[in-house]
Amino acid sequence: MGLKELKEQLIQQDQKQLIKLLSELYKNVPAAKDYLDIYATGDVQLLIEKQKTEIEKYVYPRGRNMVTNEKEARKLIRTLQKMKIPELTIELNLRYTDCCITMMEDFGYSDESYEISLENHFYQAVELMERENMSSRYEDLVGNLTQRGREFGLLEQ
């Protein structure tokens, strides 16, 4: 079913049916719960912190079995970008960049695709900041990441 057909079906529902549907989504679909929480409260900070922790687990895991999974981190970012919340997208891209640089600093881990991905996420965040007039808010963090990245020949703005 496409979006048009879904809208046609939803228009036919009464308010009680729509509330029941949204309640079921809220209870059973974690991404829907996150989205509806933000919709209802306008507070994106809890979701940002939760997802930054997830990014860190994938890119710079702690403990004995340090198994990285940058692919899952990138997938998570792509999924959450669909929520179209600029602050969320910026924060997650910068966390990804930070974790990748820390991995390089601590373990010397790097290859060409890793570096390309790191830079793509960084520049995507910077571009979105500029488009949304949020650059001043992230100035210190961007400066720090740029300085650290340059030590590896990366993030040459």
Side-chain angles (χ1 to χ4, degrees):
M1 174 185 309
L3 182 58
K4 182 179 177 182
E5 292 83 11
L6 176 63
K7 285 181 180 181
E8 289 170 359
Q9 290 294 319
L10 292 174
I11 288 171
Q12 296 174 12
Q13 307 296 311
D14 66 23
Q15 186 177 9
K16 279 186 178 182
Q17 291 170 312
L18 291 173
I19 289 171
K20 182 180 178 187
L21 173 64
L22 287 172
S23 298
E24 289 299 315
L25 278 171
Y26 190 86
K27 287 191 293 189
N28 297 314
V29 181
K33 180 186 183 313
D34 291 339
Y35 187 80
L36 291 171
D37 282 344
I38 293 168
Y39 180 82
T41 66
D43 184 10
V44 71
Q45 209 53 45
L46 283 175
L47 180 61
I48 287 173
E49 292 308 316
K50 174 183 166 188
Q51 298 305 332
K52 282 169 65 173
T53 301
E54 286 299 305
I55 297 294
E56 189 171 322
K57 274 196 304 192
Y58 288 130
V59 181
Y60 193 91
R62 307 262 186 236
R64 293 180 125 186
N65 299 323
M66 282 192 55
V67 178
T68 62
N69 195 341
E70 294 87 10
K71 184 177 180 181
E72 282 300 312
R74 292 188 303 270
K75 181 179 171 185
L76 176 63
I77 293 169
R78 280 192 310 274
T79 299
L80 293 168
Q81 283 175 332
K82 293 175 185 173
M83 293 176 82
K84 303 220 182 284
I85 302 171
E87 182 180 4
L88 177 64
T89 300
I90 291 166
E91 292 274 356
L92 297 184
N93 279 305
L94 292 178
R95 175 56 59 114
Y96 179 87
T97 303
D98 182 47
C99 289
C100 288
I101 292 172
T102 302
M103 224 20 201
M104 293 170 71
E105 290 169 337
D106 291 353
F107 301 103
Y109 178 78
S110 182
D111 63 29
E112 185 177 0
S113 64
Y114 190 82
E115 293 171 2
I116 290 170
S117 178
L118 178 159
E119 287 187 310
N120 286 343
H121 284 272
F122 177 77
Y123 291 125
Q124 183 181 16
V126 169
E127 181 181 303
L128 185 55
M129 279 177 231
E130 291 171 356
R131 195 168 53 239
E132 297 293 327
N133 295 317
M134 299 172 81
S135 297
S136 62
R137 182 174 175 180
Y138 296 98
E139 190 174 339
D140 291 341
L141 178 56
V142 168
N144 176 274
L145 292 173
T146 301
Q147 179 182 357
R148 292 170 53 214
R150 284 184 178 151
E151 293 176 23
F152 299 97
L154 303 170
L155 309 181
E156 304 291 336
Q157 286 187 314

